[in-house]
Amino acid sequence: TDFSQKSIAKKNPPQLKITFFPEGGELINGIKNRVAFKIIDTYGMPVNVNGIIKDDKNNTITTFTTLHDGMGYFELEPNNTLKYFAEIQTANGVSSNFALPSIKNEGVNLMLQNGKSRISVIVNRAEQNKEKYNKLLLAAHINGKLVYAGNFNFNEDKTATSISKKGLPPGIIQFTLFDSLAMPLAERLAFIDNYNIIKPNITIDK
């Protein structure tokens, strides 16, 4: 059975599927975006590869590589006059192209830096209709409980904040960025690792 499965896989190598996850939810024109990705094969198994990000004029923008289990990230400052794709060369030497998500002409970008003791949050906005995004609200929840709320004001250069992790329970923290009408604009998850692993003492009687 193993021999027949290997023979089939050799004749019909599994196809790759790549999913892109722009930080905050969407690619925004003219703003540096961090884009996470995950690559799996036909059978849903993670695939570790190297690749290139190119635009539709065949210019190389950046390179990327998987860090673990088919996942990784790269940074891109998209131009809405161009289209972008990832080029991946598989083990059999065949190159495949995968289109990146569409680019929004306006909006905001939410970036997190999850440090040892604090989480830094940075907000950027596109130039088009930027006045709509002068005043923003950031809310953070853990298990449905509000643990942080703060304002951003681009007119006053308040575009970043830092949140202490001290006293927060371990688990997933969800950040949501709202406009002045309380409409959600961007979202991001992070992990709070405020826990210690206790090693049990094991006594063997026999």
Side-chain angles (χ1 to χ4, degrees):
T1 304
D2 288 343
F3 177 78
S4 61
Q5 287 178 342
K6 290 178 181 178
S7 300
I8 293 171
K10 193 171 183 180
K11 292 179 182 178
N12 302 291
Q15 300 296 310
L16 299 182
K17 177 183 178 182
I18 179 168
T19 306
F20 298 102
F21 305 96
E23 187 170 20
E26 296 175 298
L27 289 176
I28 308 295
N29 178 53
I31 298 177
K32 181 178 285 188
N33 291 249
R34 185 185 293 137
V35 184
F37 62 87
K38 183 173 184 179
I39 304 174
I40 58 175
D41 62 18
T42 310
Y43 311 108
M45 299 300 294
V47 179
N48 294 317
V49 297
N50 299 320
I52 302 172
I53 301 298
K54 291 185 174 183
D55 61 24
D56 54 7
K57 295 183 178 179
N58 206 35
N59 296 312
T60 296
I61 308 302
T62 188
T63 59
F64 64 89
T65 185
T66 48
L67 300 176
H68 64 90
D69 293 336
M71 295 180 287
Y73 70 91
F74 57 87
E75 291 189 343
L76 172 71
E77 187 173 319
N79 184 324
N80 60 1
T81 64
L82 300 171
K83 294 182 180 180
Y84 299 88
F85 62 90
E87 181 181 284
I88 298 174
Q89 190 172 52
T90 56
N92 57 7
V94 177
S95 293
S96 299
N97 293 335
F98 302 88
L100 266 67
S102 58
I103 303 167
K104 286 192 66 176
N105 296 329
E106 64 174 80
V108 293
N109 171 252
L110 178 65
M111 296 185 68
L112 299 188
Q113 297 289 346
N114 194 354
K116 185 175 182 180
S117 60
R118 307 188 72 86
I119 298 179
S120 299
V121 183
I122 303 170
V123 177
N124 295 296
R125 62 178 177 175
E127 281 298 312
Q128 183 170 319
N129 296 326
K130 63 181 183 181
E131 294 79 11
K132 291 169 54 178
Y133 309 99
N134 279 338
K135 296 181 180 180
L136 305 172
L137 170 68
L138 179 71
H141 294 83
I142 298 179
N143 294 328
K145 180 181 178 181
L146 182 68
V147 295
Y148 174 86
N151 294 305
F152 293 90
N153 190 322
F154 280 84
N155 289 334
E156 299 176 0
D157 291 328
K158 294 180 180 179
T159 60
T161 190
S162 181
I163 301 168
S164 175
K165 296 164 70 173
K166 184 178 180 180
L168 294 180
I172 301 296
I173 182 169
Q174 176 182 320
F175 291 89
T176 306
L177 191 65
F178 300 89
D179 65 12
S180 58
L181 300 176
M183 295 296 294
L185 301 174
E187 225 166 36
R188 177 75 155 78
L189 301 178
F191 183 67
I192 304 295
D193 53 352
N194 288 345
Y195 62 87
N196 293 313
I197 297 177
I198 300 174
K199 295 182 179 180
N201 293 320
I202 299 176
T203 302
I204 300 175
D205 292 334
K206 295 182 180 179

